[in-house]
């Protein structure tokens, strides 16, 4: 398990590097591996907290290699495209800037 948690996860559909497998969710009854968890990136050296953790169900894992874990995340289509991360403490500031820039274009 220690070796598994040191491997980097890559999405095969987009080629995006998801980060390293930092933790795992295991069913305590059966001992079955349920998902791999990649902790969110630090924002501003950790002063503004972290981004959301990425939890990848084990059925999305396609290949566990010597150096990487290839995963295939199901593509999700958001209903609306957010301007910023909703957990970002500066989201209101960014929304305010966007509102003022769109008003200046209307003039």
């Amino acid at each position: 398990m220690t070796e598994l948690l040191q491997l980097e996860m890559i999405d095969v559909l987009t080629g995006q590097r998801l980060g390293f497998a930092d933790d795992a969710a295991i069913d305590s009854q059966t001992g079955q591996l349920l998902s791999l968890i990649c902790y969110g990136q630090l924002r501003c050296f950790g002063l503004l907290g972290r981004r959301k953790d990425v939890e990848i169900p084990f059925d999305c894992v396609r290949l566990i290699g010597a150096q990487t874990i290839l995963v295939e995340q199901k593509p999700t289509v958001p209903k609306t495209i957010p301007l910023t991360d909703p957990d970002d403490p500066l989201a209101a500031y960014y929304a305010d800037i966007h509102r003022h820039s769109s008003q200046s274009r209307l003039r």
Side-chain angles (χ1 to χ4, degrees):
M1 189 58 124
T2 304
E3 291 176 11
L4 180 69
L5 296 180
Q6 295 175 354
L7 300 177
E8 185 174 22
M9 295 186 293
I10 297 176
D11 188 353
V12 295
L13 295 177
T14 63
Q16 179 183 8
R17 298 171 67 183
L18 302 174
F20 290 88
D22 295 312
D23 203 355
I26 299 175
D27 186 357
S28 61
Q29 300 291 329
T30 63
Q32 183 180 12
L33 182 63
L34 299 176
S35 63
L36 297 172
I37 301 168
C38 178
Y39 296 144
Q41 293 177 336
L42 295 175
R43 291 187 293 197
C44 194
F45 304 105
L47 296 173
L48 298 177
R50 290 184 173 269
R51 298 197 187 279
K52 285 187 173 183
D53 295 344
V54 177
E55 184 171 0
I56 300 172
F58 195 68
D59 61 339
C60 291
V61 173
R62 295 295 167 242
L63 179 69
I64 298 176
Q67 296 177 351
T68 59
I69 299 172
L70 299 179
V71 298
E72 183 177 346
Q73 290 184 322
K74 307 293 185 246
T76 58
V77 179
K79 292 179 183 175
T80 60
I81 299 172
L83 295 175
T84 61
D85 185 6
D87 293 334
D88 189 355
L90 299 175
Y93 172 75
Y94 296 135
D96 190 44
I97 288 175
H98 179 72
R99 184 175 51 245
H100 287 302
S101 66
S102 64
Q103 288 176 356
S104 64
R105 283 186 233 142
L106 295 175
R107 292 180 189 167

